[in-house]
Amino acid sequence: MKKRYKKIASVVLCTAMLATGLSGMEVMAKETDGEEVTLEVWSHHSAPQADLLASLGERYSEATGQKVKVNYTEVAWDDYIGTKLTTAFASGDGPDIFTTCPPQIARYVSAGIAMPLNDYLPQDVLDDFNPSFIQGVTFGDDICAIPTQGELLALYYDADLFEKEGIAPPKTWAEMIEAAKALTTDTRAGMTMRVADDSSVVFDWLPFLWMTGADVMDVENKKSLLDSQGAADSLQIYHDLMEAGALNVKPSRNADEIGILCEGETAMQISGTWAIQQIEDNYPDSNIGVLPIPVQKEGDTSASAAGGWQMVVNSQSENADIAAKMLAWAFAEDMEIPTEWCTEVSFCYPARKSILEAASDVYEKGLRKVYTEEIFGTEKPELRAPADVYKILQDMIQQSMYESDGKTAAMEAHEKLQEFLDEYEDVI
């Protein structure tokens, strides 16, 4: 019997929906007759993002007259990307609105949970979004979420340390690896990037792959592309850093937290736009530099990955229509909320072009200027793929660090990915 790579969560969710006689497009909006509607909103976000999400009901009520109350629930990250949501949807107790990200969204589309929002997003509204953001939430003809932001990756470095040691900030992979070796001591790693065996390690690796001109797969034709020289070369970075003992494999905290660099635990760190706010708030006296992720060789174009969060409406909700209207108003029509989300609550790049134009002064301030002038525009959306694909890539990166060279790891992952794609029948 052939293996069928269907998401278990999707099967559970679809079964639950059939049992209740619901499908994504058959859910009817509840008539409220002017009564207050309570919407359950779930996310892993804590304050200040949580405060903004919790305030959406009050703001929407004031702006439109439709009485909406939001009950916000913060779910621990491991539970959020684990089974918390899928279990809630399977039992019919899922939230009306929830946040998701590229590695997770396909499971909710496959299960019919993610409600298509095309009817709530007129063309003039869609035209204000960066096309790549909309592409990332579009399945077939259906727009299944509203993107809120892009979080771009860059290389941060200890500018004082580099100056003291007479080392120029690296522009190429070779320079980055040599700097990491030279700056590694008994108490300091040369380089920190995400290396733990979870989906986040793939996010940090993708820019290295993309700047070679390679990619993970051809989705339309269901073909693995990991048998490329670019894939092998991008993985060799991990192998070489690990072999030199320059890679921080046991960071003191989450590997994307910039305190690792600011407190002297590492000389360089791959991190994202979120680090800017952390530096300004917690390490205002530190001398941290930021630059585009180094390229394979001089003359190449750098690349970055754009992660970010997407707002989804639960198609099973009896208040799905109101939930969709509120989200469309908050993140696709209103200017105040998405501007606040991207420039005050945290620092990230907005999904909408008008927000970037309106807040241009924020994006030219301090280290933000490097992002705006040298990194923004080089990004590609974070890989949208089933968890099975992410697991293959995670194992590949782990293999390149601990077991083999980059080429061997890439070729073995290529075979596994192609086997998966040959059997997979669901959406990507």
Side-chain angles (χ1 to χ4, degrees):
M1 179 182 291
K2 289 185 177 181
K3 276 198 302 185
R4 294 298 175 188
Y5 290 88
K6 286 279 192 175
K7 294 289 296 174
I8 294 176
S10 297
V11 174
V12 172
L13 293 177
C14 289
T15 301
M17 284 165 45
L18 288 172
T20 57
L22 294 172
S23 71
M25 298 305 294
E26 292 172 347
V27 177
M28 300 300 292
K30 179 182 178 182
E31 293 296 331
T32 63
D33 296 326
E35 297 179 1
E36 183 177 73
V37 173
T38 298
L39 298 177
E40 300 293 334
V41 178
W42 287 16
S43 176
H44 76 287
H45 287 301
S46 55
Q49 288 95 334
D51 297 334
L52 187 149
L53 293 174
S55 74
L56 290 181
E58 182 179 351
R59 294 189 186 195
Y60 184 65
S61 299
E62 292 178 356
T64 68
Q66 168 65 62
K67 298 176 182 178
V68 175
K69 176 183 178 182
V70 165
N71 282 339
Y72 179 76
T73 299
E74 178 186 343
V75 181
W77 170 248
D78 288 343
D79 293 334
Y80 198 74
I81 64 172
T83 60
K84 182 75 172 181
L85 275 171
T86 54
T87 300
F89 288 128
S91 64
D93 296 323
D96 303 287
I97 294 170
F98 61 101
T99 59
T100 192
C101 56
Q104 303 286 321
I105 188 172
R107 69 167 71 176
Y108 302 113
V109 175
S110 298
I113 293 295
M115 176 177 162
L117 300 173
N118 303 52
D119 292 342
Y120 301 90
L121 301 170
Q123 190 58 50
D124 62 325
V125 170
L126 291 175
D127 289 343
D128 190 35
F129 280 85
N130 184 314
S132 66
F133 283 85
I134 294 298
Q135 178 185 355
V137 297
T138 300
F139 292 79
D141 295 327
D142 292 332
I143 300 171
C144 296
I146 298 179
T148 61
Q149 72 213 62
E151 296 173 331
L152 315 184
L153 291 175
L155 179 68
Y156 292 78
Y157 64 97
D158 185 331
D160 287 337
L161 178 61
F162 271 74
E163 183 178 357
K164 176 184 176 182
E165 298 298 329
I167 299 174
K171 295 181 179 180
T172 66
W173 293 358
E175 292 173 356
M176 181 182 71
I177 293 169
E178 287 306 309
K181 292 178 182 178
L183 296 172
T184 296
T185 68
D186 291 341
T187 59
R188 182 182 62 228
M191 170 65 77
T192 296
M193 56 206 298
R194 285 179 276 205
V195 296
D197 188 11
D198 60 43
S199 62
S200 65
V201 70
V202 177
F203 187 51
D204 282 12
W205 164 71
L206 284 170
F208 293 109
L209 174 72
W210 288 333
M211 66 180 70
T212 70
D215 212 331
V216 172
M217 59 184 170
D218 177 347
V219 174
E220 183 176 350
N221 295 303
K222 290 192 172 181
K223 294 295 183 183
S224 168
L225 301 177
L226 293 176
D227 58 342
S228 66
Q229 187 61 48
D233 291 346
S234 65
L235 292 169
Q236 192 65 29
I237 294 172
Y238 290 79
H239 179 87
D240 292 347
L241 284 170
M242 190 70 168
E243 190 174 61
L247 195 57
N248 188 1
V249 295
K250 293 183 179 180
S252 61
R253 63 204 86 180
N254 288 339
D256 63 355
E257 293 186 28
I258 203 65
I260 294 173
L261 176 64
C262 295
E263 295 180 17
E265 184 179 328
T266 192
M268 293 179 287
Q269 184 173 0
I270 300 288
S271 192
T273 44
W274 58 85
I276 301 287
Q277 196 89 38
Q278 295 173 10
I279 293 170
E280 292 175 347
D281 292 345
N282 303 320
Y283 306 98
D285 298 326
S286 61
N287 187 13
I288 301 299
V290 64
L291 67 160
I293 296 175
V295 296
Q296 186 171 18
K297 62 182 183 302
E298 286 192 40
D300 288 352
T301 301
S302 184
S304 184
W309 294 96
Q310 304 151 350
M311 306 296 295
V312 186
V313 174
N314 175 7
S315 64
Q316 297 184 42
S317 168
E318 63 180 1
N319 291 313
D321 179 62
I322 292 175
K325 287 177 179 177
M326 185 182 79
L327 276 190
W329 169 80
F331 288 100
E333 300 172 23
D334 184 69
M335 289 279 287
E336 179 182 346
I337 291 172
T339 301
E340 182 180 345
W341 182 268
C342 293
T343 64
E344 297 179 29
V345 169
S346 62
F347 173 66
C348 51
Y349 280 80
R352 292 169 54 189
K353 293 174 281 190
S354 61
I355 305 300
L356 185 61
E357 294 169 1
S360 59
D361 57 327
V362 174
Y363 292 93
E364 293 294 329
K365 175 185 174 185
L367 294 178
R368 294 169 169 84
K369 186 178 179 68
V370 177
Y371 268 100
T372 300
E373 295 186 353
E374 301 182 44
I375 300 171
F376 182 64
T378 69
E379 76 280 357
K380 292 178 65 174
E382 183 177 3
L383 178 67
R384 193 181 81 187
D388 305 84
V389 172
Y390 266 83
K391 181 57 177 170
I392 291 169
L393 299 178
Q394 290 164 218
D395 291 346
M396 175 186 71
I397 296 169
Q398 295 297 306
Q399 181 180 340
S400 70
M401 288 192 295
Y402 295 105
E403 300 175 19
S404 69
D405 61 14
K407 183 175 182 179
T408 302
M411 288 305 298
E412 292 186 10
H414 168 68
E415 294 176 3
K416 294 174 184 177
L417 179 57
Q418 191 57 60
E419 179 186 357
F420 168 80
L421 293 173
D422 286 343
E423 302 293 339
Y424 190 67
E425 297 176 345
D426 220 326
V427 299
I428 296 179

